[in-house]
Amino acid sequence: MRNFNENTITDAVLDRVGGAELPRAKQISEALIRHLHAFVREIRPTQREWEQGIEFLTRTGHMCNDKRQEFILLSDTLGVSMLVDAINHGSQSGVTDTTVLGPFFVQAAPQRELGDDISGNMEGEPMLVTGSVATCDGKPIADATIDVWHSDDDGYYDVQQLDKIGDLAMRARFRADAQGRFRFWSIKPAAYPIPHDGPVGEMLEAQGRHPWRPAHVHFMISAPGFEQLVTHVFVAGDKYLDSDVVFGVKDTLIREFVREPPGKAPDGNTLDRPYYHLHYDFGLKQTVAATEV
Ligand code: BEZ
Ligand code: FE
């Protein structure tokens, strides 16, 4: 087959990829061709515009290294990460809603004891976080593994300033107690702009968008027999709740970080200055295999 034109090229490519051996590879390839060709037909790019598109993706790739994942930022800011999340995690009564993982999770976070202060001596307003992990019908999940991470009060994560602070901070892994409860101290996080000094930042600017996320604390919670929960809890009242650059906010994930006066905190510690208290009770979804047992 030769001599393709605007009217015949799409069917010719679909025909060519239709021979894929795996049904899923065939389905994905055909959908990619159909949607990509429709996109190009809709925008009718000049040759120069198409080159600029290729250059944008090339710069996006070059921006990626072991500390920066520009393609994840691109997926997040185009709402694709939350679309994939929505497809894979419908809401279920008693199960905590999910949201984006983001690029600042660290696999090997330091294991800490319940009640520890994980702020790593970063400056900020003290924050007590308490909560629990349970099944969708409220039965405590003993020994659940809880990873937490959050920004400092200038909106930077530890991994963005390791040369300045020297070590991981404001992140830890905990083991819930026999009643599924957990607690720790840190500092209250702030809203922050996602890294916007690369191609994704250029795109946001061209689209007339700001790069901000509302203040939040990340949680990743796992326990045998349950689906891993990846989520955040957002600070109620934050001015970016309705315009999160990555579309990650859900009402069920917003909580008051209650400002408490100095004195005895619920965990028995005595504070000589005001502190914030966040409490959140998480619900995990049983895995299909566990449900069938
Ligand atoms: C975060 O919350 O850490 C995050 C999520 C998506 C993009 C950038 C940062
Ligand atoms: Fe974050």
Side-chain angles (χ1 to χ4, degrees):
M1 290 203 300
R2 301 181 187 171
N3 306 318
F4 304 112
N5 61 33
E6 196 181 323
N7 298 319
T8 59
I9 182 77
T10 304
D11 283 343
V13 182
L14 283 172
D15 215 44
R16 194 83 56 91
V17 304
E21 204 175 312
L22 293 174
R24 185 68 169 154
K26 176 172 151 74
Q27 182 194 21
I28 292 171
S29 302
E30 288 178 347
L32 174 68
I33 303 304
R34 274 189 278 108
H35 290 276
L36 190 56
H37 283 222
F39 169 73
V40 173
R41 273 202 182 83
E42 181 178 330
I43 63 170
R44 304 194 76 74
T46 63
Q47 203 68 46
R48 179 64 200 130
E49 282 173 332
W50 191 244
E51 281 164 20
Q52 285 172 328
I54 303 274
E55 282 161 19
F56 174 83
L57 291 176
T58 306
R59 279 185 287 117
T60 300
H62 286 164
M63 200 79 193
C64 296
N65 55 40
D66 58 341
K67 297 202 177 59
R68 176 84 175 247
Q69 230 303 352
E70 196 75 0
F71 274 114
I72 294 184
L73 285 184
L74 187 59
S75 158
D76 292 344
T77 51
L78 291 175
V80 179
S81 302
M82 283 308 290
L83 176 57
V84 174
D85 175 77
I87 287 168
N88 286 283
H89 305 280
S91 66
Q92 184 188 317
S93 166
V95 174
T96 303
D97 283 330
T98 51
T99 189
V100 281
L101 174 66
F104 300 124
F105 171 68
V106 168
Q107 272 296 343
Q111 180 84 39
R112 305 295 294 267
E113 297 300 319
L114 294 178
D116 277 358
D117 178 355
I118 64 164
S119 66
N121 294 322
M122 300 293 292
E123 275 183 27
E125 296 169 292
M127 169 180 74
L128 170 65
V129 181
T130 58
S132 66
V133 185
T135 63
C136 64
D137 45 5
K139 294 192 189 75
I141 302 177
D143 298 330
T145 300
I146 304 157
D147 269 283
V148 299
W149 67 105
H150 65 82
S151 73
D152 66 15
D153 74 345
D154 284 327
Y156 291 102
Y157 284 82
D158 51 359
V159 290
Q160 294 176 289
Q161 47 181 331
L162 273 182
D163 39 357
K164 187 170 117 200
I165 64 175
D167 213 348
L168 296 177
M170 305 168 293
R171 77 172 65 238
R173 176 169 291 181
F174 295 100
R175 182 171 287 248
D177 69 14
Q179 282 79 47
R181 293 171 308 194
F182 66 89
R183 59 185 193 282
F184 64 92
W185 285 90
S186 193
I187 54 167
K188 186 168 179 266
Y192 60 85
I194 63 163
H196 57 112
D197 56 344
V200 169
E202 285 167 37
M203 178 191 78
L204 292 175
E205 202 169 313
Q207 293 172 342
R209 296 167 59 188
H210 71 66
W212 287 82
R213 298 216 67 206
H216 55 271
V217 178
H218 291 257
F219 291 86
M220 180 188 275
I221 304 182
S222 12
F226 295 88
E227 286 185 11
Q228 184 177 64
L229 172 68
V230 174
T231 196
H232 331 330
V233 179
F234 295 93
V235 179
D238 191 290
K239 73 174 187 174
Y240 295 110
L241 285 173
D242 284 318
S243 63
D244 180 10
V245 67
V246 302
F247 308 93
V249 180
K250 295 177 178 174
D251 284 342
T252 54
L253 301 177
I254 302 173
R255 282 290 179 281
E256 205 69 48
F257 284 46
V258 183
R259 193 166 193 268
E260 301 285 3
K264 200 158 182 175
D267 73 334
N269 266 311
T270 302
L271 267 85
D272 59 4
R273 54 182 177 140
Y275 65 95
Y276 288 86
H277 182 192
L278 162 66
H279 182 89
Y280 201 98
D281 294 317
F282 294 92
L284 300 194
K285 183 179 182 179
Q286 278 192 308
T287 53
V288 176
T291 326
E292 282 168 354
V293 169

